[in-house]
Every structure is written in structure tokens, then in C-alpha cells.
């Protein structure tokens, strides 16, 4: 990393740093005969990790995150996601690159859609497609053939210690095009970071 994590300007991502918890989640997932709705709770940890420089011309501020989601009905982890949010101040672009343990990876990009004043929420919207555009989904041969993610969209809205997200993953599965959706509201439960970016309770 080019700079100490503490000296970096994370732009709109600075409002995400910390540990967040939420128990109002709802997942709608594909089933062969329709869909399944699962209420859930989760933890997301966002840690600042400094800057990277690409091709000596682009500087990104990066925040690493880990999301662990549990089904309310049985407390089992049923979604586990790890990745990086990056902020390119020069082009005012936000991007997220992440992997889920189904052999699916996403690199989605977009803009800060709103942030008009100190009392307003920061709103980030990113999207990616399997076959079109600059931002893509990649997946294993099995997933491409049997549960292909065609498109992914995510929206985050956050202000102070409140974060709301919603996302749509369009999956070609069981002979149909399914809108797999997730949404939750979270509260920040820890914010302080040490010099290495580690979040302290
Ligand atoms: C809170 C977030 C998420 C939760 C709780 C969740 C949960 C689920 C559940 C319960 C299924 C059905 C699994 C089964 O029937 O065995 C599923 C399927 C799937 N999910 Fe997610 N998911 C989330 C986010 C994502 C994201 C971000 C992606 C990709 C960008 C994704 C891609 C898929 C795919 C491709 C399938 C089809 C596999 C299958 O049903 O066999 N999911 N997810």
C-alpha cells in the first residue's frame, strides 16, 4: 500500500468503516418449483486498507469487507461474501469486487448517486453483467451452465450509524430467469480502527 491507512481519503467509503449488524434481512432465492423467502440476520465488517496505484496513473482507496449472513429459522450461515470496495476520486467512480463460495465473482462499478448535504444519506449504486459492458460477472463452468448469474445490481444508502442495502441477482436457473433479491437494514456497532485499519470494538 502506498500510504498509511489512517492518512487516506476514502471519499464516500469512509462512512462504511466499522462493524455493522442487522436483523431485518429478507432473501428471495430460486427453487425448482418457485421461490423461497428467508428472513435473515448478518454482520458486515468494513476495514480500511489504504491505497493502491495502478499503471502509475490511477489511485484507488480500498476498503476490505466480509459479510456473514445467517438464516433466522436455523441460525445457519447461508451466505458468505468477501471483497473490496474501491474509490477512484479522479473519476468519482465506486467499484466493488467480491467472491461468493459458489464459484461466482463480481466486479461491479457505478457512481455515488446521492449526497447533497450533511444531513443526506450517501447512496451508492453499482451494477455488473455477465456478457455486456465494462463491469462483469465471472463464474465457473458449472454455474454458467446451470445457475448462470446474468446480471447483478446493488444499492447502498447510509448515514451516520444506519445502513440500508438492496440487491438483485438475476439468475438463469431451472429453465427461468429468476430475480434473486436481498435487502437489510444495519446499525454500526464499532467504528474505531488502529493504524493497520483493524476495527476495534
Ligand atoms: C444476503 C445475500 C444472499 C443470500 C442470503 C443468498 C441466499 C441464497 C439462497 C438461500 C440460495 C438458494 C440455494 C439453494 O437452493 O440451495 C441462493 C442461490 C443463489 N445465489 Fe444467493 N444469496 C445472496 C447473495 C447472492 C449474491 C450476491 C450472488 C451473486 C452475485 C448470489 C448468487 C446466487 C446464485 C447464482 C444462486 C443459484 C444457486 C442455486 O440456487 O442452486 N447470491 N442464494
Amino acid at each position: 500500500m502506498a500510504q498509511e491507512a489512517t492518512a487516506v481519503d476514502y471519499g464516500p467509503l469512509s462512512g462504511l468503516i466499522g462493524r455493522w449488524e442487522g436483523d431485518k434481512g429478507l432473501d428471495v432465492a430460486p427453487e425448482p418449483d418457485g421461490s423461497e423467502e428467508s428472513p435473515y440476520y448478518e454482520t458486515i465488517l468494513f476495514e480500511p486498507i489504504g491505497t493502491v496505484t495502478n499503471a502509475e496513473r490511477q489511485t484507488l482507496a480500498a476498503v476490505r469487507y466480509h459479510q456473514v449472513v445467517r438464516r433466522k429459522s436455523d441460525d445457519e450461515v447461508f451466505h458468505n461474501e468477501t471483497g473490496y470496495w474501491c474509490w477512484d476520486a479522479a473519476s468519482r467512480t465506486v467499484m466493488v469486487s467480491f467472491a461468493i463460495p459458489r464459484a461466482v465473482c463480481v466486479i461491479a462499478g457505478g457512481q455515488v448517486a446521492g449526497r447533497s448535504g450533511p444531513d443526506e444519506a450517501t447512496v451508492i449504486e453499482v451494477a455488473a453483467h455477465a456478457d455486456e459492458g465494462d463491469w462483469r460477472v465471472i463464474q465457473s463452468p458449472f454455474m454458467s451452465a446451470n445457475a448462470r448469474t446474468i446480471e447483478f445490481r446493488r444499492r447502498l444508502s447510509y448515514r451516520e450509524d444506519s445502513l440500508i442495502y438492496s440487491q438483485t441477482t438475476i439468475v438463469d436457473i431451472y429453465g427461468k430467469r429468476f430475480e434473486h433479491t436481498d435487502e437489510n437494514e444495519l446499525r454500526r456497532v464499532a467504528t474505531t480502527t488502529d493504524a493497520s485499519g483493524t476495527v476495534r470494538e
Side-chain angles (χ1 to χ4, degrees), residues 2-122:
Q3 273 181 280
E4 283 296 321
T6 45
V8 174
D9 176 10
Y10 289 93
L13 304 181
S14 61
L16 290 174
I17 292 163
R19 183 186 300 278
W20 299 76
E21 293 175 355
D23 62 0
K24 298 183 176 63
L26 181 66
D27 171 66
V28 181
E31 287 292 321
D33 52 0
S35 64
E36 179 185 41
E37 293 196 3
S38 304
Y40 65 77
Y41 62 98
E42 69 180 302
T43 300
I44 311 179
L45 176 65
F46 294 94
E47 293 183 294
I49 60 161
T51 58
V52 297
T53 306
N54 291 325
E56 300 196 344
R57 284 190 289 121
Q58 183 191 53
T59 300
L60 303 179
V63 172
R64 178 178 59 207
Y65 74 96
H66 185 204
Q67 176 188 27
V68 179
V69 184
R70 292 174 191 270
R71 216 184 233 117
K72 281 190 181 174
S73 61
D74 58 8
D75 296 319
E76 293 287 325
V77 174
F78 75 141
H79 182 75
N80 201 326
E81 179 181 316
T82 188
Y84 300 92
W85 280 95
C86 295
W87 165 242
D88 179 1
S91 67
R92 306 195 63 74
T93 303
V94 279
M95 44 199 115
V96 62
S97 51
F98 68 84
I100 60 167
R102 295 181 185 278
V104 177
C105 296
V106 173
I107 167 83
Q111 306 296 323
V112 177
R115 201 192 195 190
S116 46
D119 295 337
E120 299 295 320
T122 300

Side-chain angles (χ1 to χ4, degrees), residues 98 103-107 129-130 136-140 143-144 149:
F98 68 84
V104 177
C105 296
V106 173
I107 167 83
H129 197 282
R136 297 292 180 111
V137 178
I138 54 171
Q139 47 211 316
S140 68
M143 295 303 276
S144 275
T149 297

